[in-house]
Amino acid sequence: MALQLYDSFSRSPKPLTPSHADGVYRFYNCGPTVYSAAHLGNFRTFVVNDLIRRLLELDLGADKVRHVRNLTDVDDKTIRRAREEGRSLTDVTAEWTAKFHADCASLGCLPPHIEPAATTHITEQVNMIEVLMQKGNAYRAADGSVYFKVSSFDGYGALSRVKERKLRLGSALEAGNTGTKDTTSVDSDEKEDGTDFALWKAWKPEDGDVKWDGPNGASAGRPGWHIECSAMSKKHLGDTIDLHTGGVDLLFPHHENEIAQSECCNGTAFAHHWYHSEHLLVDGKKMSKSLGNLYTLDQLNEMGHTPMALRYALLVGHPRKQLNFTLESLSSAVKALTTLRNFRTALGDQSGALASFAPVFSSLHDDLNTPGALGALFSLVNRDPSGIDAATFDRVLFALGLDLTPPEAPPVAIPAEVTALAEKRWAAKQAKDWPAADALRAEITSAGWTMKDRKDGYDLEPAKA
RNA sequence: GGCGCGGUCGCCAAGUGGUAAGGCCGGGCUCUGCAAAAGCUCUAUCGGCGGUUCGAUUCCGCCCCGCGCCUCCA
């Protein structure tokens, strides 16, 4: 069964099959803006995309997948951050790019084959803007910026179905939906129409030394956000790509704008398939920087949560359904991972029936039904391991990106007095002095530690809350 | 106001026109001097009201509740 994914454009599931003669599947995934640490919500999307990447590799072969994920390293936020910290833009974005890479690696995400950055593709973007200007799809405003003329593209709104946005904007304002919006980054008032969006932003004093020569007739400045994806996608994957993905919040306006730019410039269909993963919620609300209800991987790691537990917790929800993240889901994940690990160990290198895992793979192939796949997996794990094929189990683990290597025990300092109590208890136990041993165990427990006996010794762990 | 998504066991979460996978927690058991770990095992009629149907949690309508997007946003 070929991998089927819901297509946001046609609003129906569609198989992922290469459309180019070389059989290489072209996959573009909108990446992060590198100005601070990405949060778990962001990583949900990247983990889901990693799943797509892995399944494609399994289905088509690793050499038949070209996965591109961009880095937005110039925009209002990156520039503001650099200014606030008195650093160069490059210095700031390099730091957060490295952090992003480290976080992705810890979560077991395969690196994309190509990771283009906006600032190293200025020429491509400028060229594209010039074509759009020549074709009458873009215009230079009085301030030297360049805008895309939405009314010049009939297909505008087909993805997000907001064709009459302009008319309805009034309603939105009345409904009070713009009260908390950050208006500092809104395009200038130089636009001919409210729905037009910036392709090129003329330099402003607060941009400091961040500027490049603009398209013909435009001022020096920097590219607008949307154009980078159109330009980099075109350069690395061609005019028409097989799949374009991102979080649901990118559906409008980002992806709508990308379609407009690319199709007007290239004169061909931009993407055959659009896929959007849903948001991660915290306390029922979207995890976001503006709400301040986010968790970064560092925060979670400091609390003692392993990256694999995080990945598992993200996999528990269907990618196209909002998932309410809780710390409790992490302890649940740790247990589940342990069960899987024990089962895998019991398997050794035995071979067995390959078909056992069919339900797992078919769930995965059916629109990335990770909860269904996990359910099917545990149905197997709950049975006798005999007859289970270890290599196929490993394929499942690869597909899910789960690394079952036992997490290293977090280095916790054991108080000397607790160690002393444990030693005394161990001695008492050896002497079969049960009353003394029990009394000492009670002392250790009240000190907040758990003493776990093994045949040849013992372990001390902080008592669970 | 427009567009979209969701409401299934204490928590999380699949699924199907024919009477509900799975994970966590909790209960019971086995093992272990105790404890832990590990293994086994038990627990739902699917937001509300109508409709279609031999039969609906699954289809349709209405209602209630929650979330997201409507140019910062994974």
Side-chain angles (χ1 to χ4, degrees):
Chain A
M1 178 183 176
L3 174 58
Q4 299 256 347
L5 270 191
Y6 182 83
D7 172 34
S8 307
F9 197 95
S10 64
R11 293 189 179 186
S12 57
K14 279 184 12 187
L16 270 61
T17 45
S19 64
H20 290 71
D22 57 10
V24 172
Y25 196 83
R26 282 148 234 255
F27 170 26
Y28 188 95
N29 167 15
C30 280
T33 299
V34 281
Y35 73 108
S36 68
H39 56 72
L40 230 213
N42 297 314
F43 285 114
R44 178 185 197 195
T45 295
F46 297 122
V47 164
V48 167
N49 277 276
D50 184 55
L51 233 43
I52 297 173
R53 156 76 178 277
R54 287 166 178 274
L55 255 11
L56 283 171
E57 280 198 12
L58 243 24
D59 291 353
L60 306 174
D63 59 333
K64 292 296 185 186
V65 183
R66 192 175 301 157
H67 177 194
V68 176
R69 186 181 66 208
N70 67 296
L71 291 168
T72 298
D73 60 352
V74 56
D75 79 323
D76 291 336
K77 287 172 295 198
T78 46
I79 291 174
R80 193 191 315 141
R81 176 58 65 99
R83 191 177 65 235
E84 286 169 357
E85 300 183 347
R87 305 161 67 189
S88 72
L89 179 69
T90 318
D91 195 33
V92 169
T93 58
E95 174 191 343
W96 294 110
T97 296
K99 179 61 185 158
F100 177 68
H101 286 162
D103 285 349
C104 281
S106 78
L107 286 172
C109 292
L110 299 172
H113 300 107
I114 304 168
E115 192 171 45
T119 57
T120 57
H121 292 71
I122 298 293
T123 306
E124 288 82 354
Q125 296 177 75
V126 166
N127 290 161
M128 203 160 195
I129 294 170
E130 287 176 346
V131 170
L132 288 169
M133 291 172 84
Q134 283 159 21
K135 288 189 170 184
N137 296 296
Y139 58 89
R140 177 191 183 286
D143 67 346
S145 293
V146 179
Y147 294 96
F148 185 90
K149 189 180 181 65
V150 167
S151 63
S152 73
F153 179 54
D154 285 342
Y156 197 82
L159 175 67
S160 56
R161 332 223 160 192
V162 280
K163 273 204 168 181
E164 294 168 57
R165 272 180 36 68
K166 190 181 161 193
L167 294 174
R168 287 165 182 159
L169 200 57
S171 314
L173 289 167
E174 283 164 22
N177 289 341
T178 56
T180 59
K181 293 289 180 188
D182 170 12
T183 54
T184 58
S185 58
V186 163
D187 298 338
S188 76
D189 295 325
E190 310 289 338
K191 297 187 284 189
E192 293 176 0
D193 186 288
T195 61
D196 291 349
F197 56 90
L199 294 169
W200 186 262
K201 294 188 172 190
W203 180 87
K204 289 176 294 190
E206 54 264 44
D207 293 340
D209 60 356
V210 178
K211 64 176 174 184
W212 292 267
D213 288 339
N216 253 332
S219 306
R222 58 188 165 94
W225 173 39
H226 315 294
I227 194 69
E228 68 176 80
C229 289
S230 284
M232 300 194 288
S233 163
K234 178 182 173 70
K235 175 172 185 183
H236 298 289
L237 295 173
D239 289 357
T240 299
I241 65 177
D242 292 307
L243 174 67
H244 195 119
T245 67
V248 269
D249 48 355
L250 296 188
L251 212 148
F252 185 85
H254 188 52
H255 289 165
E256 196 70 77
N257 293 351
E258 283 186 48
I259 293 174
Q261 296 161 343
S262 291
E263 303 208 343
C264 287
C265 173
N266 303 330
T268 55
F270 179 40
H272 288 310
H273 200 142
W274 290 87
Y275 178 81
H276 296 93
S277 48
E278 258 296 349
H279 286 308
L280 187 67
L281 270 35
V282 174
D283 296 328
K285 300 287 182 189
K286 181 172 115 173
M287 182 179 286
S288 70
K289 281 175 180 159
S290 51
L291 288 175
N293 61 349
L294 52 82
Y295 289 105
T296 63
L297 294 204
D298 282 353
Q299 289 172 329
L300 261 4
N301 287 160
E302 278 164 24
M303 290 182 219
H305 301 298
T306 65
M308 267 308 122
L310 296 178
R311 183 172 178 115
Y312 187 94
L314 294 176
L315 256 25
V316 161
H318 188 113
R320 282 199 308 108
K321 268 175 86 167
Q322 294 171 336
L323 175 64
N324 193 28
F325 175 77
T326 60
L327 258 16
E328 294 74 61
S329 70
L330 259 20
S331 49
S332 171
V334 169
K335 290 294 196 70
L337 248 15
T338 301
T339 302
L340 253 21
R341 183 178 303 118
N342 292 339
F343 185 78
R344 179 62 190 86
T345 303
L347 249 32
D349 59 356
Q350 73 183 32
S351 55
L354 307 183
S356 329
F357 292 96
V360 180
F361 284 112
S362 67
S363 285
L364 249 18
H365 281 126
D366 180 13
D367 200 27
L368 301 181
N369 185 351
T370 49
L374 254 13
L377 219 211
F378 275 93
S379 293
L380 281 178
V381 168
N382 290 336
R383 296 201 196 100
D384 193 307
S386 62
I388 298 295
D389 190 66
T392 310
F393 189 86
D394 289 341
R395 270 167 63 84
V396 170
L397 294 179
F398 172 81
L400 294 169
L402 293 178
D403 178 356
L404 260 28
T405 306
E408 287 175 36
V412 264
I414 302 171
E417 55 270 32
V418 173
T419 307
L421 287 170
E423 283 298 329
K424 283 173 69 177
R425 187 184 156 273
W426 184 249
K429 183 184 172 180
Q430 296 309 303
K432 294 194 189 295
D433 181 355
W434 307 133
D438 289 347
L440 285 158
R441 174 183 289 289
E443 281 193 64
I444 291 167
T445 303
S446 61
W449 290 76
T450 300
M451 183 170 177
K452 296 182 173 181
D453 293 358
R454 284 181 281 109
K455 268 204 161 56
D456 54 346
Y458 61 88
D459 293 315
L460 281 168
E461 291 180 7
K464 284 169 189 164

